[in-house]
Each structure stands twice: as structure tokens, then as C-alpha cells.
Amino acid sequence: MSDLAPKKEAGTPPTFEKEPGPPANSPDADEPEKKKREYKDFGHDDAEATHALVDMSQIELKAEDLYDKEKVDLETIVIDDVFKLLQCDSEGLTEAEATRRLEIFGPNKLESEEQNPFLQFLSFMWNPLSWVMEAAALVAIVLSNGQHRPPDWEDFLGIVLLLFINSAIGFYEEHNAGNAVKALMDSLAPKARVRREGKWYEIESSQLIPGDMVAFKIGDVVPADCRLTEAINVSIDQAALTGESLPQSKKTGDQCFSGSTCKQGEAEGVVISTGANTFFGRAATLVGQDDDTTGHLQKILAQIGSFCLVAIGIFVIAEILVLYAGFRYDYRRGLDNILVLLIGGIPIAMPTVLSVTLAVGAQQLAKHKAIVTRITAIEELAGVTILCSDKTGTLTTNKLTIDKNIVKCYGAFSSEDVILLAAYASRTENQDAIDTCVVGSLGKPERAREGITLLDFKPFNPVDKRTEITYREESSGKLKRVTKGMTGIIIELCSRNKTEEIENRLEADVEEFATRGLRALAVAYEELEGDDYEAEGNGFELIGLLAIYDPPREDTKQTIDDALALGVKVKMVTGDQLAIAKETGRRLGLGDHMYPAKVLKDGPQPGGKHATLDEMIMDADGFAGVFPEHKYEIVKRLQGLGHLCAMTGDGANDAPALSRANVGIAVEGATDAARGAADIVLTEPGLSTIVHAIRGSRIIFQRMRNYSIYACAVTIRIVVCFGILAFAYKFDFPPFMVLIIALLNDGTIMTLSVDRVLPSNTPDAWDLAEIFSYAVAYGLYLTLSTIILVVVILETDFFEEKFHVALDSTPKVSSDPQLHMIVYLQVAIISQALIFVTRSHGFFFMERPSYALLGAFCIAQLVSSIIGAFADWGFTKIKPISGAWIGIVWVWNIMWFLPLDFVKFGMKATVIKFLRERRQRKIAEEAKSTGGDIPLTRTQSRAASVHESLYSNRVSFIRRAARKVGFRGQVKMSGEELRRFSSLQAQHTGQTLARHPSRT
């Protein structure tokens, strides 16, 4: 073993003989030389460099020269000519010139079409539900003009006022939420490294101008179209533009397109085109933008709106037939009854309430540092059942750390001594990842040089695979040497304690570390005689083995536990080795049922516990060694099994899966590519924000569901109640009072957007059959409460005898104005009180509402009672009623309100239970018939019908805010189109510069 000791020739630095490596004269010794050879990618042809066929000293080129490809082809001309044409050099522009060019060319972003605020305000009145109200207004002002009676101005103005109030509330909330989201998104505006006046700066990409020198590296989005002036092993993903699935290698002189992603290497280039003149901008102009912000909400609004419209339509037709054909009503009298159904039955505030709820929800999530870039992601996150998470940088810190609990010692040194000596053998400046983690494990980095004098240091290199320090110990004055590095290399250097026993122990320890996914770092030590720091020592002694790993984030384990408690299963999907994935899973409590990515191609082993690949994916706690296409495939298969998937990630390689997932979540510090593909962008480290977002999304979902049940129930309650009263008693309720009910209802219900509700402990989903079932039950129950009240008043003397009250008319008739007031008050009070039942899971008094909702309800009921006591409006056929009648109505409503919870419980035990069991049977049958392959696509805006698309005017503020800072830019363009524009971009730049020559 003495031949393995370090040997030194006189006057030369010490060298070490090593067994690994071929002799210098072997053929393999030339292997490094082979790496210098460049191989062209398939289909990549070199274009011979050309020169512009014009006098480049004359910068003011003519337009015909700029667009004559035979003279100036900026795709192939040499870089020097590009610099001359753009009047710049490799040191970058001056700040003054940059400012001048920014005025000429404008910001480097697509011009977003600003929506006129007034038109945005009016857009809240543009949907089928509003159209019915607008039709009612026309009926009141146009069709009601006849039979010696003036137009119904009161109802007309009331309807218009109701429409404007809804639009005003929606506009205000959307505007506020949009500002809150944009403020956070502005803080994440894409950045670019630019050289100006010879110095590198980081600026917003929107400030780039033609002639700027830019630099980008792996994971960055190319900020503008540029020609590369320096390229080190560069590979660019242009899939978003060209549809090419594989990244393209780029070399010096090649062109890179704005919006493409750097997958490998580092590059510098000169900007030749910005903003709308880039390939990206041209493509956006050609093909437009795909708005995917409102699809799911469109569908829900359309179906709920259809339910209400059908219910109203049935009773309107019935009234036309019964009132006109049967009762021979005159023209105006029948129209008033139809107006009651149109005004009272339409949930005019529904689009506004739902969009305001989402807008306020997005604003609340922004307070938790979660930026929502696709509005339907809020409701989809509420239904997520599986969270697929990248490991490095997401579940873990992406910072290597020494595990101090399992340091292996082989000599007289303690574990603290081993770590300290390893820190001695580490650089304290310009550190690599290993040196950083070793020095960082000391707690105080300055200890790495305390008490010693550095004499010589050999940094890590790929050949020796170790670092070495020679130092003088200040306390004893002795010279000592420490080395750390790859285990196989270090043990070969050791000569003092390299025994069979030590080697066996070392081998066992390294194998243990490997099975746990821990990287081993060996440390050896020797002493030197004399003062010559270059002299040989007394022989290295193996003193310890350090375990290095990427530790989980502090909050990750709690986040995973919280997610599991919310019914969301977490699966790790990582590109790291299987052993590392298993160890991370054990530390996080995820489990260690991990599989290598190859099973996605090969499938489960024959005879194993999994019959199909889908079963294996569902059972797995995670997958290791995956590439982007594997992540995409996993998400796709889970969606195929009927799950809504969320995917978290931070790197450019996560972008495909982030885009495919129902909810893509880019964690704090994510690359521009990952943020661009995500639906939610986190601006705080760790995953704890995801739990806030899941809870928040479920709260928002519950608010939307509660209102939907309420709105549909009120529709049933109004149309059925007043339809039956009209048929039975020829009851002509004044339309204006229905307007008052709708106005007070809307003012109260708007506060649902901030209501205090409990999130469900299981994933949520829209079940319209349940919503409509509840609505019909509540609506018919409330209808019964009103009809029985009218029957008791008209058919009996109960109230007169018991409470000594009476109506003005004698005998009692259905057209009595005071009876109209009594019915108004009864309908107004109990209809609003219904919201307290629909918003709670158990008894209504067990879940406290928000103070805003409670206050709005009390104010509305006070106003209703005051109207009942004092309103004497002749045009509405109502008269004030006594305090006794008001008290009777309140007591009557309380008596009918209290059993409403039992109606809810009865529905849960019967109809709702039946619907859920039927749905489960249907899912099981579909899974059985399709072999478990239930197709499920991402819920995006595809405007399944014209009817659904009519609700698309909502929640557009996030899309506008996103575009302003460059998010969500996903456009595609054929290779032919790219080539068609290739020779025009920088030429256009040169033409603009020619029109604005430099002032210097």
C-alpha cells in the first residue's frame, strides 16, 4: 500500500498516483479531444454567411433596400453587418440612446387592447338573463302603452336601475380585484439581463430595444428576437412558436425567437426585434389570442340560466293561455302578471354575484401571495383530488445539506471534527454546491478558516474529483493536510488505516447511503513534518464519511399532511434517482412506493400486484428519473382515470405538465417558463400557500354553490307562487313591488362574496342535479308558505278574530292593496332568510354568517318593514298595513322558516342520496366499460355553444392583467410563417433607425 502514498519530485507540486484512468499513450487518452468536435443536429443545415449588398457605412438605408432580400438578409448576414445596421456594438447601448430608442420602438411587449371602461360596465348587462330583464323593460315602456293608460314608467325605471346597480357592483369589484392581481404580477414581470455602457444590468423585458446586448441561460425565456454573438452548448425550445417537439441547438450567429425557452447552456446576443415585430408578436397578430379564462363558469352559468329560463317560460306560456284565453284578461292586466314572472323569476344578479365572488376570491388569494392567472383555476382547485409535485426546489430546498445525524467516523475524530476538517478543505469564496453545504453546516461560515493559516489549496476538478488544503494549525504550529471528495478516490489515497475491516465498513456505509439516496463524501487527513507545505505527509488516514442530501422545506411535511386531510393525495414526480426519491418520501411521510420512469413505458411486471399501468400509477407515491414527457404522461393518465390534477413545479422542464394539469402551480422562484405555463403563481417560498389556496378555493366554491341554490330556489318560488295565485284567485301582484324585492335581495346577496363559510374536507365539484333539486324543494316550500297565508286571509276570519286586524276591502278580494303589501312583506322577508339555510351544512344557527351578510340582511328587512308600514304608492296598487299585520307576517315567516332545515335534511337523506348513488354507479359502469380509461380533458374555454359563450363577459380582468406583464402568451405558428417573416424583422428595425438617425 506504500505505492499509493503521495509522491513528489523536487521542485514540483505533489502529485498522486491513481489507478483509474488509461495510460497516456492509450487510444482512450485522446477521449477528451473528441468532445471538441461539433455534430450538427438532424435537419440543421449551415447557411453560408453573407454580407449586406449595400454600403454599410450609409446607415440610412432606403426602404426598398431594407425589404430587398437579395441585398439585406438579416438572417444570414454576418454579425458585424448586423451591428452596423443597428448602430450598436458588443458593449451595449448608452442609457441616453436606450431611452431614445424606447421612444422610437416602444416597449417590448404586445400591445394589449385596453377595454373601454364604459363598455366594460355595459358588458355586465350583456347575457341572456339580462336580456330577459331588458325585454321586461321594453314591455313596460312600449307594450304597456295602451288602453288609455300611460307607459309603465315606474317599472321601466326600476328595471333599468336594477340593471345599473348590478353592473356597478360587478364593475367595482372586478376593477379592485384586477388591480390587486396586477400589482403582484407586476412584481413578477419577466426580467432580462442586458449590457449597457459595458455593464450588465437586470431590467424588465419590456424595456429592451433593438441594439441591446442580452444574455440568457437554462430555464430563461428568450426576452426578444436576437442574433447570438456567443453560444455555449445552447439548446432552445421553440415548441410554443413552431410546434417542434425537440429543442433546437443554436450556435454563434443563429437567431433566437422571443418567447422560446433556453433548455441548455448560456448565450449572449444582440436584439434585432422587439414587441409586435418579433416572431411571437407577428404570430399573435396573425392567429389572435385564445381566451381560456371563463369556460367552466360559462357552462355553469348557461345551465343555471337555462333552468331559470325554462321555469319562467313554462309559467309565462301558462299565464298567456289561462289569463287571456281562459279568464279573458284585457291587454294591460295580463302584461302586468307576465312582468311579475319576468322580473321576479330572473336571477339578474347571478352573473355579477358569481364573477364578483371569483374576483374577490382572487383578491383574497393574492393576499396569501398566490397569483391566479386563469380565473377558473379557483374553482378547479377546489375539486383537485391529486397533487403531483416536483421534488427539487418544490418539496425540497434545492440546497445540499450535511446530515449531521449519520456522520460515519473511522478514527479518533468525532463527527463535529470530521465536518470541521471537511470545511477546511472547502473554498470559502466562489464555492460550488458541495463546498457551500459543507461550510454552511458549521453554522458560522467563518469557522472554516478560524485557527488556521492557509498555505495551499487545490480546488475540485473533474479528473482528481477531490479538494485538498494544506494549512498551519495556529495553536500548535504544525502543518496538516485534509482532502475530501469521491469515496473511491479518497480511499485509494489513504495509507495509514486502509485495512480490510475499514474498507468493508466503508463499503457497507456507502451502500447504506446509496440505498437511502444520500450522496457520500469521504474525508481524509494527514500531518506534515517540517515547514515545507509542499512536502509529503505521513500518509492520509480515512477519518469520516459525510452524507449529503437535499433537505425538505420546513413546511413541506405539514403542507402534505394538510393536503391529505383535505382529501388531496400527493404524488412526487422527480427527475432524481429512485433512491433519493424514496428517502425524500420517507422523510416527508409521503411513503416510499416509488417507481422508476421506465415503468411508464414497460408497464407493470408480469405476475406483480398491479394488473395495469393505471393501477400502478394510482398506487404509487411517486416516480423517479422522469423527463418532461413522463410528467406530462402521468398527469394525462391520472386525468384519464377521472381525477382533477394539480401540478407544482419551478423549472422549465415542468412547463409541459404544468400546462396539461387542471391547475398548474409555479412555486416561488420558478423560471419564467414555468410561470408562463402555470395557472397559479406563488410568490412565497414553500408549499404552504397551496393549502391556503385549496382552502380558499373551496370557500369560494361554497359561496358560489350557496348562491346558485338560493337563486334557483327564488326563481321557482316567484314563478310558481304568483302563477298559482293568478290562476286560483286572479291575483294581480304589482310588478314594481317585485322590483323592490329583487333590488333588496341583490344588495344583500352581493355580500355572499365575502361570506364566512366552512370549506369542505373533500374535493368539490359542481353537481347541478343537486343544486336544482334543493332549489325545487326550497322554492315549493316557500311557495306553500305564501299560498297558505293568502288562503287563510281570503277564505277565513282567523286573523280578524285572533288579532283584530282587517283589510280595507269588504268583502275581502284578491285585488286589495293591503293584501298586496302583506304578500310583498311575506315574500321579501322569508326569501332573503332562505340564504341562511342554503349557506349552512347543518342547522342554520350552527354556522355564523359574516357580519357583512348579517348586516345587509337586517338593513333589507328593516327597509321592507318600513315600506310595509308607510309606503302609499298608488301606481303600484299597495297601501300601508298596520303594525299588527307586520307582526303577523314576521311570526308567520318565522314559523315557516324554522322547518326549512328539516327540508334540507330530508332532501339529503332521500333525493340527494339517490342522486349521489346513481352518479357513483354511473362512474363505476363507465370505468368498467372503458377499462378504466375515462377521458377527461382540462376544463377550458371552448365555448361549447353560442349560448354558453354569451356569459363570457365575466372575469376578464385577470387575462388583461396577465397580458400586460407577459404571462399566458401561448401562440403557435408554422415553420413556413416563421421563415416568411424572418428577413423582415431586423430590416424593419433598421428602417425605423434610418428614419430616426442618432443625434450623437
Side-chain angles (χ1 to χ4, degrees):
M1 290 188 290
S2 61
D3 59 338
L4 296 175
K7 299 180 180 179
K8 175 179 177 294
E9 296 180 8
T12 62
T15 59
F16 298 90
E17 293 184 359
K18 300 179 265 302
E19 288 185 12
N25 58 358
S26 70
D28 292 341
D30 295 331
E31 189 67 26
E33 291 296 318
K34 294 182 180 180
K35 295 182 180 179
K36 297 180 181 179
R37 297 173 63 180
E38 291 189 33
Y39 294 90
K40 294 186 294 183
D41 289 338
F42 178 75
H44 177 83
D45 295 323
D46 279 333
E48 184 179 352
T50 62
H51 290 272
L53 301 180
V54 293
D55 185 359
M56 294 303 295
S57 63
Q58 301 295 322
I59 301 301
E60 296 181 10
L61 297 176
K62 298 178 181 179
E64 55 265 26
D65 293 334
L66 288 171
Y67 289 95
D68 186 348
K69 197 168 183 178
E70 292 183 358
K71 292 183 178 180
V72 181
D73 186 353
L74 290 175
E75 200 177 30
T76 59
I77 64 174
V78 295
I79 291 293
D80 288 344
D81 285 359
V82 174
F83 279 125
K84 289 179 181 178
L85 181 63
L86 299 181
Q87 306 174 30
C88 60
D89 56 38
S90 59
E91 293 299 306
L93 302 171
T94 64
E95 288 298 333
E97 179 66 8
T99 302
R100 185 181 78 89
R101 294 193 184 196
L102 188 61
E103 294 176 357
I104 296 173
F105 296 105
N108 178 36
K109 60 183 179 181
L110 299 182
E111 291 298 327
S112 57
E113 184 179 348
E114 292 294 330
Q115 187 171 0
N116 186 296
F118 180 68
L119 294 179
Q120 183 184 357
F121 173 78
L122 293 181
S123 72
F124 282 85
M125 304 182 203
W126 188 256
N127 59 68
L129 298 180
S130 295
W131 293 344
V132 175
M133 291 295 287
E134 290 152 12
L138 290 177
V139 169
I141 195 65
V142 179
L143 298 183
S144 295
N145 187 10
Q147 294 185 335
H148 309 292
R149 291 171 59 186
D152 194 348
W153 288 105
E154 296 84 3
D155 288 343
F156 171 77
L157 293 176
I159 293 171
V160 171
L161 178 63
L162 186 61
L163 286 168
F164 269 81
I165 288 175
N166 275 291
S167 294
I169 294 173
F171 178 82
Y172 175 77
E173 291 293 350
E174 183 175 291
H175 180 72
N176 282 353
N179 288 343
V181 171
K182 186 180 181 302
L184 270 179
M185 293 182 74
D186 282 341
S187 69
L188 290 181
K191 305 291 185 182
R193 290 193 67 222
V194 60
R195 177 187 286 169
R196 289 182 179 169
E197 299 179 345
K199 297 180 181 180
W200 287 103
Y201 301 94
E202 186 177 81
I203 64 173
E204 291 187 10
S205 296
S206 61
Q207 300 301 305
L208 289 177
I209 33 83
D212 264 332
M213 293 296 299
V214 295
F216 51 87
K217 61 184 184 304
I218 182 171
D220 291 346
V221 173
V222 178
D225 285 1
C226 58
R227 287 283 299 275
L228 298 184
T229 58
E230 183 177 335
I232 304 174
N233 197 25
V234 173
S235 178
I236 301 293
D237 181 3
Q238 300 172 169
L241 291 170
T242 65
E244 297 169 298
S245 58
L246 296 176
Q248 301 296 305
S249 297
K250 298 289 183 180
K251 61 183 185 303
T252 300
D254 284 348
Q255 188 174 17
C256 288
F257 306 134
S258 172
S260 55
T261 305
C262 182
K263 290 290 189 180
Q264 184 177 339
E266 299 180 3
E268 294 181 13
V270 56
V271 174
I272 61 173
S273 191
T274 59
N277 293 316
T278 63
F279 283 156
F280 189 93
R282 299 271 186 172
T285 303
L286 284 176
V287 303
Q289 296 287 338
D290 176 22
D291 180 3
D292 63 351
T293 57
T294 59
H296 202 220
L297 189 59
Q298 282 178 324
K299 187 175 294 186
I300 299 304
L301 283 171
Q303 290 176 293
I304 295 176
S306 298
F307 173 83
C308 296
L309 291 174
V310 168
I312 294 167
I314 290 172
F315 277 85
V316 166
I317 293 173
E319 282 202 348
I320 291 174
L321 295 175
V322 173
L323 301 185
Y324 287 111
F327 296 161
R328 303 295 178 181
Y329 271 27
D330 60 41
Y331 177 64
R332 287 294 298 270
R333 185 179 179 188
L335 274 182
D336 285 348
N337 282 275
I338 291 173
L339 276 177
V340 168
L341 301 189
L342 293 178
I343 298 171
I346 287 294
I348 182 61
M350 186 180 71
T352 302
V353 170
L354 295 187
S355 62
V356 166
T357 301
L358 285 173
V360 171
Q363 196 171 4
Q364 291 170 341
L365 290 179
K367 293 179 181 178
H368 288 294
K369 307 300 182 183
I371 302 172
V372 181
T373 64
R374 185 171 62 90
I375 191 64
T376 51
I378 294 177
E379 55 180 310
E380 288 181 24
L381 186 59
V384 161
T385 54
I386 293 180
L387 173 63
C388 295
S389 176
D390 183 46
K391 179 188 73 71
T392 306
T394 304
L395 295 175
T396 63
T397 61
N398 197 20
K399 296 178 181 178
L400 296 179
T401 302
I402 300 291
D403 191 335
K404 298 182 181 180
N405 297 321
I406 53 174
V407 176
K408 305 294 183 181
C409 301
Y410 302 99
F413 294 90
S414 65
S415 59
E416 290 80 6
D417 294 334
V418 172
I419 294 174
L420 180 60
L421 290 174
Y424 286 168
S426 304
R427 302 182 79 162
T428 55
E429 297 179 357
N430 301 320
Q431 298 170 313
D432 60 20
I434 299 294
D435 288 348
T436 299
C437 85
V438 173
V439 174
S441 65
L442 293 177
K444 297 180 179 180
E446 57 270 17
R447 289 185 58 202
R449 292 294 181 264
E450 277 185 359
I452 65 171
T453 301
L454 174 65
L455 302 177
D456 185 39
F457 189 87
K458 294 181 175 60
F460 179 87
N461 65 74
V463 178
D464 292 335
K465 295 182 173 63
R466 66 185 183 90
T467 63
E468 180 184 287
I469 185 175
T470 305
Y471 63 92
R472 184 186 303 277
E473 190 176 60
E474 294 178 355
S475 59
S476 63
K478 293 183 178 180
L479 268 59
K480 299 182 179 181
R481 185 175 291 143
V482 178
T483 184
K484 74 176 194 318
M486 183 181 289
T487 308
I489 299 296
I490 298 300
I491 191 62
E492 290 301 317
L493 292 176
C494 295
S495 58
R496 282 202 289 159
N497 66 338
K498 188 180 177 183
T499 63
E500 188 74 17
E501 179 187 356
I502 291 292
E503 288 192 278
N504 289 341
R505 279 183 56 195
L506 179 65
E507 184 178 359
D509 292 339
V510 171
E511 185 175 348
E512 177 194 344
F513 284 2
T515 57
R516 297 181 55 182
L518 304 174
R519 184 180 300 178
L521 184 70
V523 185
Y525 163 88
E526 70 174 355
E527 296 184 356
L528 285 73
E529 298 293 337
D531 292 329
D532 184 3
Y533 67 86
E534 295 184 345
E536 295 182 6
N538 62 349
F540 277 109
E541 172 188 357
L542 181 68
I543 61 172
L545 193 68
L546 303 178
I548 298 177
Y549 73 110
D550 182 11
R553 292 182 182 269
E554 293 181 359
D555 63 342
T556 299
K557 190 176 189 308
Q558 184 61 47
T559 299
I560 291 172
D561 292 341
D562 292 344
L564 292 174
L566 292 171
V568 180
K569 182 172 175 59
V570 182
K571 293 182 183 293
M572 182 194 305
V573 183
T574 177
D576 250 333
Q577 298 173 12
L578 181 61
I580 296 175
K582 288 186 174 183
E583 176 66 15
T584 304
R586 283 191 288 264
R587 290 176 182 261
L588 292 174
L590 268 179
D592 56 3
H593 289 167
M594 308 279 182
Y595 298 98
K598 65 179 183 179
V599 302
L600 298 173
K601 179 181 179 181
D602 301 338
Q605 293 182 353
K609 68 175 183 177
H610 301 115
T612 65
L613 178 58
D614 288 337
E615 285 185 17
M616 176 177 283
I617 291 177
M618 282 303 301
D619 177 65
D621 295 318
F623 293 89
V626 300
F627 292 109
E629 59 269 24
H630 296 138
K631 296 182 179 182
Y632 184 92
E633 180 68 18
I634 290 169
V635 171
K636 182 179 177 181
R637 281 188 171 271
L638 288 171
Q639 289 175 327
L641 291 169
H643 291 278
L644 290 180
C645 292
M647 169 73 185
T648 68
D650 64 342
N653 64 324
D654 297 324
L658 288 174
S659 180
R660 169 71 197 192
N662 297 91
V663 182
I665 304 171
V667 298
E668 188 268 343
T671 61
D672 290 343
R675 293 206 304 253
D679 303 307
I680 296 177
V681 180
L682 308 184
T683 59
E684 278 192 347
L687 293 182
S688 60
T689 309
I690 293 179
V691 173
H692 287 302
I694 290 176
R695 287 200 186 101
S697 66
R698 292 187 184 178
I699 288 172
I700 294 162
F701 184 93
Q702 288 297 321
R703 291 169 180 162
M704 295 171 67
R705 180 180 179 274
N706 295 343
Y707 173 73
S708 299
I709 295 174
Y710 170 82
C712 294
V714 169
T715 293
I716 296 295
R717 186 256 197 288
I718 294 290
V719 298
V720 176
C721 174
F722 289 108
I724 291 176
L725 288 176
F727 301 154
Y729 288 101
K730 297 183 180 180
F731 188 83
D732 300 330
F733 193 72
F736 187 81
M737 298 313 295
V738 176
L739 268 175
I740 298 297
I741 293 173
L743 188 62
L744 292 176
N745 275 358
D746 290 354
T748 302
I749 297 307
M750 287 297 174
T751 59
L752 272 182
S753 61
V754 293
D755 188 25
R756 180 181 177 271
V757 297
L758 295 175
S760 65
N761 289 325
T762 55
D764 289 315
W766 284 103
D767 191 326
L768 294 179
E770 287 190 13
I771 290 175
F772 297 154
S773 298
Y774 276 123
V776 170
Y778 293 144
L780 294 179
Y781 179 84
L782 296 182
T783 294
L784 197 62
S785 72
T786 304
I787 291 176
I788 292 178
L789 177 63
V790 173
V791 169
V792 171
I793 292 175
L794 292 179
E795 303 294 340
T796 73
D797 296 325
F798 175 78
F799 293 119
E800 289 86 340
E801 294 174 357
K802 296 293 184 181
F803 303 101
H804 308 292
V805 292
L807 299 178
D808 285 348
S809 60
T810 305
K812 292 179 286 186
V813 294
S814 62
S815 59
D816 189 294
Q818 285 189 318
L819 179 59
H820 291 164
M821 184 65 85
I822 292 171
V823 171
Y824 156 76
L825 190 58
Q826 194 273 336
V827 171
I829 294 173
I830 200 167
S831 295
Q832 277 200 12
L834 174 65
I835 192 60
F836 296 112
V837 175
T838 64
R839 64 173 295 280
S840 59
H841 298 283
F843 288 103
F844 75 92
F845 53 81
M846 299 297 289
E847 299 177 25
R848 179 179 68 80
S850 67
Y851 291 123
L853 176 60
L854 197 58
F857 173 79
C858 293
I859 291 173
Q861 300 320 305
L862 179 62
V863 171
S864 294
S865 299
I866 291 174
I867 290 174
F870 300 104
D872 188 4
W873 304 326
F875 66 88
T876 62
K877 301 177 186 176
I878 60 168
K879 284 187 177 180
I881 56 177
S882 64
W885 272 120
I886 293 175
I888 288 171
V889 171
W890 270 98
V891 173
W892 182 269
N893 280 337
I894 292 172
M895 290 173 56
W896 280 87
F897 174 77
L898 293 177
L900 264 173
D901 277 330
F902 296 99
V903 174
K904 175 172 61 182
F905 300 149
M907 288 292 295
K908 283 184 179 180
T910 55
V911 177
I912 304 303
K913 181 180 179 181
F914 167 76
L915 290 174
R916 291 177 178 175
E917 290 176 350
R918 187 183 67 175
R919 185 172 67 248
Q920 292 300 325
R921 284 196 303 269
K922 184 178 179 181
I923 293 174
E925 289 171 2
E926 288 181 356
K928 186 176 180 180
S929 62
T930 59
D933 186 17
I934 303 173
L936 181 108
T937 57
R938 178 177 181 162
T939 38
Q940 288 184 344
S941 165
R942 292 296 175 262
S945 68
V946 174
H947 178 47
E948 291 172 11
S949 67
L950 294 174
Y951 292 90
S952 64
N953 57 319
R954 299 285 58 78
V955 296
S956 58
F957 64 94
I958 285 184
R959 172 175 54 81
R960 294 196 300 274
R963 286 186 187 171
K964 285 182 180 179
V965 295
F967 277 116
R968 305 297 299 166
Q970 296 179 356
V971 293
K972 292 189 177 180
M973 195 174 184
S974 68
E976 288 75 16
E977 291 293 335
L978 287 174
R979 286 190 289 274
R980 186 160 72 85
F981 288 115
S982 62
S983 64
L984 303 182
Q985 294 179 91
Q987 295 177 17
H988 182 271
T989 299
Q991 183 185 32
T992 307
L993 281 174
R995 292 197 303 267
H996 301 81
S998 176
R999 297 166 185 159
T1000 58

